Amino acid sequence: MAHPSLLRELVERCETLRRRTASGGNAETVRQLEDTTRCAWSRAPTSWTRRCSSPVAS
């Protein structure tokens, strides 16, 4: 499990990229969001993964 400050940083990065994607982000922004989301979920506590069926928002 990652340090809480690293997880917080990854969540903030995901939120920033989601806003960019929602406001017309390009393919690179979408790729960065997918990569960051995957990275955050791979480091998340197991309790997070048990509560959610999918780590990537649809």
Side-chain angles (χ1 to χ4, degrees):
M1 183 173 75
H3 192 276
S5 63
L6 174 61
L7 290 174
R8 191 171 23 259
E9 183 179 322
L10 288 169
V11 168
E12 289 172 3
R13 177 79 175 141
C14 284
E15 290 171 350
T16 298
L17 290 166
R18 277 196 185 112
R19 283 192 298 272
R20 286 183 191 164
T21 300
S23 66
N26 59 22
E28 177 65 16
T29 303
V30 172
R31 186 195 60 75
Q32 289 175 356
L33 174 59
E34 291 171 349
D35 290 349
T36 304
T37 302
R38 205 171 296 113
C39 181
W41 276 95
S42 71
R43 289 166 171 75
T46 55
S47 61
W48 287 13
T49 57
R50 277 186 253 139
R51 287 185 294 184
C52 302
S53 60
S54 175
V56 179
S58 47

